[in-house]
Short mmCIF file of all heavy atoms in Angstrom, two decimals:
data_model
loop_
_atom_site.label_atom_id
_atom_site.label_comp_id
_atom_site.label_asym_id
_atom_site.label_seq_id
_atom_site.Cartn_x
_atom_site.Cartn_y
_atom_site.Cartn_z
N GLY A 1 2.91 4.79 -8.91
CA GLY A 1 2.12 5.83 -8.29
C GLY A 1 2.83 6.40 -6.93
O GLY A 1 2.20 7.30 -6.30
N GLY A 2 3.84 5.85 -6.53
CA GLY A 2 4.46 6.20 -5.22
C GLY A 2 3.87 5.45 -4.03
O GLY A 2 3.07 4.49 -4.27
N LEU A 3 4.20 5.90 -2.93
CA LEU A 3 3.69 5.20 -1.63
C LEU A 3 2.26 5.73 -1.33
O LEU A 3 2.00 6.98 -1.27
CB LEU A 3 4.65 5.40 -0.52
CG LEU A 3 5.95 4.87 -0.76
CD1 LEU A 3 6.87 5.14 0.48
CD2 LEU A 3 5.95 3.35 -0.94
N SER A 4 1.35 4.86 -0.89
CA SER A 4 -0.07 5.30 -0.49
C SER A 4 -0.01 5.43 1.02
O SER A 4 -0.68 6.35 1.47
CB SER A 4 -1.05 4.16 -0.85
OG SER A 4 -0.67 2.93 -0.23
N PHE A 5 0.78 4.75 1.74
CA PHE A 5 0.81 5.01 3.20
C PHE A 5 2.43 5.04 3.57
O PHE A 5 3.00 4.04 4.01
CB PHE A 5 0.19 3.84 3.95
CG PHE A 5 -1.19 3.69 3.59
CD1 PHE A 5 -1.65 2.64 2.84
CD2 PHE A 5 -2.20 4.59 4.12
CE1 PHE A 5 -3.02 2.53 2.51
CE2 PHE A 5 -3.53 4.44 3.72
CZ PHE A 5 -3.94 3.47 2.98
N PRO A 6 3.08 6.14 3.26
CA PRO A 6 4.48 6.22 3.60
C PRO A 6 4.88 5.95 4.97
O PRO A 6 4.05 6.37 5.83
CB PRO A 6 4.91 7.63 3.15
CG PRO A 6 3.73 8.10 2.44
CD PRO A 6 2.57 7.43 2.76
N PRO A 7 5.89 5.34 5.33
CA PRO A 7 6.35 5.17 6.58
C PRO A 7 6.53 6.49 7.46
O PRO A 7 7.08 7.34 6.77
CB PRO A 7 7.56 4.25 6.63
CG PRO A 7 8.11 4.47 5.21
CD PRO A 7 6.96 4.81 4.40
N ASP A 8 6.25 6.46 8.60
CA ASP A 8 6.38 7.81 9.36
C ASP A 8 7.40 7.60 10.48
O ASP A 8 7.47 8.36 11.36
CB ASP A 8 5.11 8.19 10.01
CG ASP A 8 4.49 7.15 10.89
OD1 ASP A 8 4.99 6.07 11.07
OD2 ASP A 8 3.34 7.48 11.43
N SER A 9 8.20 6.60 10.38
CA SER A 9 9.18 6.27 11.41
C SER A 9 10.49 5.85 10.79
O SER A 9 10.57 5.15 9.67
CB SER A 9 8.70 5.16 12.35
OG SER A 9 9.62 4.63 13.08
N ILE A 10 11.64 6.14 11.48
CA ILE A 10 12.89 5.70 10.95
C ILE A 10 13.08 4.20 11.12
O ILE A 10 13.80 3.55 10.44
CB ILE A 10 14.13 6.42 11.68
CG1 ILE A 10 14.06 6.05 13.19
CG2 ILE A 10 14.15 7.87 11.52
CD1 ILE A 10 15.25 6.40 14.01
N TYR A 11 12.16 3.61 11.91
CA TYR A 11 12.20 2.11 11.99
C TYR A 11 11.39 1.48 10.98
O TYR A 11 11.52 0.23 10.75
CB TYR A 11 11.49 1.78 13.36
CG TYR A 11 12.19 2.40 14.55
CD1 TYR A 11 11.65 3.43 15.22
CD2 TYR A 11 13.44 2.01 14.87
CE1 TYR A 11 12.25 4.02 16.36
CE2 TYR A 11 14.21 2.53 15.95
CZ TYR A 11 13.55 3.56 16.71
OH TYR A 11 14.18 4.17 17.74
N SER A 12 10.89 2.18 10.06
CA SER A 12 10.06 1.59 8.86
C SER A 12 10.91 1.69 7.65
O SER A 12 10.42 1.39 6.64
CB SER A 12 8.81 2.36 8.75
OG SER A 12 7.94 2.28 9.85
N GLU A 13 12.10 2.03 7.71
CA GLU A 13 12.96 2.23 6.52
C GLU A 13 13.04 0.97 5.68
O GLU A 13 13.02 1.01 4.49
CB GLU A 13 14.49 2.59 6.94
CG GLU A 13 15.30 2.98 5.76
CD GLU A 13 14.75 4.21 5.03
OE1 GLU A 13 14.05 5.08 5.65
OE2 GLU A 13 14.98 4.22 3.82
N ALA A 14 13.04 -0.24 6.33
CA ALA A 14 13.12 -1.46 5.51
C ALA A 14 11.83 -1.72 4.72
O ALA A 14 11.80 -2.27 3.71
CB ALA A 14 13.54 -2.60 6.44
N ASN A 15 10.70 -1.33 5.38
CA ASN A 15 9.38 -1.53 4.80
C ASN A 15 8.83 -0.22 4.35
O ASN A 15 8.44 0.62 5.16
CB ASN A 15 8.47 -2.16 5.82
CG ASN A 15 7.04 -2.45 5.18
OD1 ASN A 15 6.85 -2.19 3.97
ND2 ASN A 15 6.17 -2.74 6.03
N LYS A 16 8.85 -0.01 3.02
CA LYS A 16 8.49 1.32 2.47
C LYS A 16 7.02 1.50 2.40
O LYS A 16 6.57 2.51 2.15
CB LYS A 16 9.01 1.35 1.01
CG LYS A 16 10.54 1.41 1.00
CD LYS A 16 11.11 2.58 1.60
CE LYS A 16 12.59 2.67 1.46
NZ LYS A 16 13.29 3.72 2.05
N GLY A 17 6.16 0.43 2.74
CA GLY A 17 4.74 0.53 2.59
C GLY A 17 4.17 0.21 1.31
O GLY A 17 4.94 -0.14 0.36
N LEU A 18 2.91 0.27 1.23
CA LEU A 18 2.13 -0.07 -0.05
C LEU A 18 2.36 1.10 -1.07
O LEU A 18 2.37 2.28 -0.72
CB LEU A 18 0.64 -0.19 0.16
CG LEU A 18 0.22 -1.37 0.94
CD1 LEU A 18 -1.34 -1.25 1.16
CD2 LEU A 18 0.53 -2.62 0.22
N THR A 19 2.44 0.63 -2.27
CA THR A 19 2.45 1.68 -3.38
C THR A 19 1.00 1.97 -3.69
O THR A 19 0.09 1.14 -3.21
CB THR A 19 3.10 1.15 -4.66
OG1 THR A 19 2.42 0.18 -5.12
CG2 THR A 19 4.63 0.85 -4.40
N ILE A 20 0.70 2.97 -4.34
CA ILE A 20 -0.65 3.35 -4.81
C ILE A 20 -1.21 2.31 -5.78
O ILE A 20 -2.33 1.84 -5.63
CB ILE A 20 -0.71 4.73 -5.37
CG1 ILE A 20 -0.38 5.77 -4.34
CG2 ILE A 20 -2.04 4.97 -6.09
CD1 ILE A 20 -0.26 7.15 -4.88
N ARG A 21 -0.22 1.65 -6.54
CA ARG A 21 -0.64 0.57 -7.38
C ARG A 21 -1.18 -0.59 -6.55
O ARG A 21 -2.13 -1.26 -6.91
CB ARG A 21 0.49 0.28 -8.38
CG ARG A 21 0.15 -0.81 -9.35
CD ARG A 21 1.23 -1.12 -10.36
NE ARG A 21 0.82 -2.05 -11.39
CZ ARG A 21 1.25 -3.25 -11.46
NH1 ARG A 21 2.24 -3.68 -10.68
NH2 ARG A 21 0.86 -4.08 -12.48
N ASP A 22 -0.37 -0.85 -5.50
CA ASP A 22 -0.76 -2.08 -4.72
C ASP A 22 -2.07 -1.78 -4.05
O ASP A 22 -2.91 -2.63 -3.91
CB ASP A 22 0.29 -2.22 -3.52
CG ASP A 22 1.66 -2.64 -3.89
OD1 ASP A 22 1.85 -3.38 -4.93
OD2 ASP A 22 2.59 -2.34 -3.19
N TYR A 23 -2.30 -0.54 -3.50
CA TYR A 23 -3.59 -0.15 -2.87
C TYR A 23 -4.74 -0.26 -3.87
O TYR A 23 -5.78 -0.87 -3.50
CB TYR A 23 -3.48 1.35 -2.37
CG TYR A 23 -4.67 1.76 -1.70
CD1 TYR A 23 -4.88 1.36 -0.35
CD2 TYR A 23 -5.57 2.69 -2.17
CE1 TYR A 23 -6.02 1.79 0.33
CE2 TYR A 23 -6.68 3.09 -1.58
CZ TYR A 23 -6.85 2.72 -0.21
OH TYR A 23 -7.93 3.01 0.43
N PHE A 24 -4.53 0.20 -5.08
CA PHE A 24 -5.67 0.13 -6.13
C PHE A 24 -5.87 -1.47 -6.46
O PHE A 24 -6.94 -1.72 -6.59
CB PHE A 24 -5.26 0.87 -7.38
CG PHE A 24 -5.35 2.32 -7.40
CD1 PHE A 24 -4.63 3.16 -8.28
CD2 PHE A 24 -6.00 3.04 -6.37
CE1 PHE A 24 -4.70 4.48 -8.27
CE2 PHE A 24 -6.09 4.53 -6.33
CZ PHE A 24 -5.39 5.16 -7.30
N ALA A 25 -4.91 -2.19 -6.46
CA ALA A 25 -5.00 -3.62 -6.86
C ALA A 25 -5.81 -4.23 -5.65
O ALA A 25 -6.75 -5.11 -6.00
CB ALA A 25 -3.78 -4.27 -7.08
N ALA A 26 -5.52 -3.87 -4.46
CA ALA A 26 -6.15 -4.57 -3.36
C ALA A 26 -7.66 -4.11 -3.38
O ALA A 26 -8.48 -4.92 -3.04
CB ALA A 26 -5.50 -4.12 -2.07
N ALA A 27 -7.89 -2.86 -3.68
CA ALA A 27 -9.39 -2.43 -3.65
C ALA A 27 -10.11 -3.07 -4.81
O ALA A 27 -11.32 -3.53 -4.56
CB ALA A 27 -9.38 -0.85 -3.80
N ALA A 28 -9.53 -3.15 -5.92
CA ALA A 28 -10.16 -3.90 -7.04
C ALA A 28 -10.42 -5.32 -6.76
O ALA A 28 -11.37 -6.02 -7.09
CB ALA A 28 -9.32 -3.77 -8.36
N LEU A 29 -9.38 -5.95 -6.13
CA LEU A 29 -9.46 -7.39 -5.76
C LEU A 29 -10.68 -7.64 -4.84
O LEU A 29 -11.43 -8.56 -4.93
CB LEU A 29 -8.23 -7.82 -5.04
CG LEU A 29 -8.07 -9.33 -4.71
CD1 LEU A 29 -8.19 -10.29 -5.90
CD2 LEU A 29 -6.80 -9.62 -3.99
N THR A 30 -10.91 -6.76 -3.87
CA THR A 30 -12.01 -6.82 -2.93
C THR A 30 -13.28 -6.78 -3.72
O THR A 30 -14.19 -7.64 -3.46
CB THR A 30 -11.93 -5.64 -1.90
OG1 THR A 30 -10.66 -5.79 -1.21
CG2 THR A 30 -13.08 -5.77 -0.99
N GLY A 31 -13.39 -5.81 -4.71
CA GLY A 31 -14.63 -5.85 -5.42
C GLY A 31 -14.89 -7.02 -6.32
O GLY A 31 -15.98 -7.47 -6.44
N ILE A 32 -13.85 -7.52 -6.98
CA ILE A 32 -13.98 -8.60 -7.84
C ILE A 32 -14.36 -9.84 -6.97
O ILE A 32 -15.30 -10.61 -7.44
CB ILE A 32 -12.65 -8.94 -8.60
CG1 ILE A 32 -12.36 -7.81 -9.52
CG2 ILE A 32 -12.66 -10.21 -9.39
CD1 ILE A 32 -10.89 -7.75 -10.14
N ILE A 33 -13.75 -10.13 -5.93
CA ILE A 33 -14.04 -11.24 -5.03
C ILE A 33 -15.51 -11.13 -4.52
O ILE A 33 -16.23 -12.18 -4.52
CB ILE A 33 -13.07 -11.39 -3.94
CG1 ILE A 33 -11.84 -11.78 -4.43
CG2 ILE A 33 -13.59 -12.47 -2.90
CD1 ILE A 33 -10.68 -11.78 -3.44
N SER A 34 -15.95 -9.98 -4.16
CA SER A 34 -17.25 -9.83 -3.61
C SER A 34 -18.35 -10.02 -4.70
O SER A 34 -19.51 -10.33 -4.39
CB SER A 34 -17.45 -8.42 -2.85
OG SER A 34 -17.44 -7.47 -3.83
N SER A 35 -17.99 -9.83 -5.93
CA SER A 35 -18.97 -10.03 -7.05
C SER A 35 -19.15 -11.46 -7.40
O SER A 35 -19.87 -11.80 -8.24
CB SER A 35 -18.53 -9.30 -8.27
OG SER A 35 -17.49 -9.88 -8.88
#
């Protein structure tokens, strides 16, 4: 899905940020755990 929070700095080049898939999984995980 690409990056959900792309880095906005040249200093962030090594860390590309979360992918949209990562973001969706984290959101789903929160819901599953809270249930």
Side-chain angles (χ1 to χ4, degrees):
L3 299 178
S4 59
F5 302 105
D8 58 0
S9 166
I10 60 170
Y11 303 108
S12 300
E13 189 59 33
N15 181 8
K16 298 291 186 185
L18 290 175
T19 65
I20 293 173
R21 184 174 186 250
D22 294 332
Y23 183 78
F24 285 162
L29 184 61
T30 301
I32 295 167
I33 290 172
S34 69
S35 72

